[in-house]
Amino acid sequence: MLMFNLSKEDLRDRKILDCPAGACSFTAIANKNGADVTATDIAYYHPFEQLAEKGFNDIEHAMLNMEKAQSNFIWDYFKSVEELKQQRIQALTDCSNDMKESPDRYIPAVLPVLPFKDNKFELTLSAHFLFMYADRFDYEFHLEAIQELLRVTRGEVRIFPLNDLSCNRYEHVDKIVDFIQSQGYVTEEIKVPYEFQKGANSMLVIKKV
């Protein structure tokens, strides 16, 4: 909620898409707090047992890299690499359990194509994917992916953060914003009360009018 500057009241009774959702606990916890969240990710093509096993392996690998790159992060929300690891494991566990109980909430998909009707969701949240992997996905992919998120959303899309993995602002953010505005959408860049990766404390909000 800090990443997207949301309160529990903002979530309640809203139809929300988390894309890509990964093996995190947002869908499980938000639905228990009165939201109606659907998660979508390429990972959901795998059975949840495989997803959980892969998730644990990924956490172990990520924590080894985190030890080497601690200076790129701000250690106030997470106090240490070990605490981060434990929270990631808890999130994976929550996700895995919820997938067993409510598999219909977890929809496999690969951006820039989503299997949802136009304007299905009031709010779409997209964290730690778009903009972050500038070395792997080009400008055209970002544009197509954002347009697809907008297609399935009738209210607003929120994207966090605006930085790439090198802690730099994604080089085409302003170009993308100019194009989106030319299509009649309203955009706003908002600082949020969460910063783990240094400099990554802003989200892009795109609203339909």
Side-chain angles (χ1 to χ4, degrees):
M1 291 192 293
L2 293 176
M3 287 178 193
F4 292 106
N5 202 28
L6 293 166
S7 66
K8 287 186 178 181
E9 289 69 31
D10 293 327
L11 300 178
R12 197 163 290 125
D13 299 323
R14 297 184 79 182
K15 198 165 188 64
I16 299 170
L17 176 66
D18 185 4
C19 176
C24 76
S25 58
F26 175 72
T27 298
I29 294 173
N31 282 326
K32 287 181 173 64
N33 282 277
D36 179 6
V37 183
T38 298
T40 188
D41 197 286
I42 187 174
Y44 303 155
Y45 283 108
H46 302 285
F48 67 81
E49 296 92 349
Q50 291 182 18
L51 179 62
E53 181 179 356
K54 183 179 184 302
F56 283 116
N57 292 334
D58 288 347
I59 289 171
E60 291 291 343
H61 178 71
M63 292 306 106
L64 289 175
N65 291 330
M66 187 67 69
E67 290 281 3
K68 302 172 186 175
Q70 289 189 59
S71 60
N72 290 335
F73 299 89
I74 296 173
W75 298 94
D76 53 7
Y77 185 84
F78 302 108
K79 305 303 181 186
S80 66
V81 174
E82 181 59 30
E83 181 180 329
L84 172 63
K85 178 180 177 180
Q86 294 307 315
Q87 290 215 27
R88 292 275 173 87
I89 290 173
Q90 184 60 57
L92 176 60
T93 301
D94 291 340
C95 176
S96 180
N97 290 339
D98 197 52
M99 289 183 78
K100 294 176 190 176
E101 296 173 9
S102 306
D104 55 315
R105 293 177 180 166
Y106 295 86
I107 309 299
V110 183
L111 279 172
V113 178
L114 297 175
F116 305 115
K117 295 179 179 179
D118 294 358
N119 302 311
K120 180 177 177 65
F121 302 97
E122 295 174 62
L123 172 65
T124 292
L125 307 175
S126 185
H128 296 111
F129 178 65
L130 294 172
F131 307 149
M132 288 208 78
Y133 298 97
D135 58 330
R136 305 176 206 180
F137 300 103
D138 61 14
Y139 168 78
E140 292 300 328
F141 172 85
H142 279 80
L143 206 57
E144 290 176 17
I146 291 171
Q147 287 178 298
E148 182 71 346
L149 295 179
L150 287 164
R151 179 187 68 78
V152 303
T153 309
R154 61 180 180 271
E156 64 183 52
V157 172
R158 299 187 182 189
I159 303 170
F160 173 89
L162 308 186
N163 292 32
D164 61 24
L165 289 172
S166 300
C167 301
N168 299 313
R169 180 182 171 88
Y170 174 58
E171 62 177 330
H172 297 308
V173 170
D174 295 333
K175 184 178 178 182
I176 286 174
V177 165
D178 287 343
F179 177 83
I180 291 169
Q181 290 177 345
S182 75
Q183 301 303 299
Y185 301 105
V186 174
T187 69
E188 186 177 6
E189 188 173 324
I190 298 175
K191 282 201 171 182
V192 300
Y194 177 86
E195 183 179 0
F196 180 43
Q197 182 189 27
K198 287 183 177 178
N201 62 350
S202 294
M203 68 172 171
L204 178 65
V205 179
I206 308 171
K207 296 181 180 180
K208 288 188 170 181
V209 293

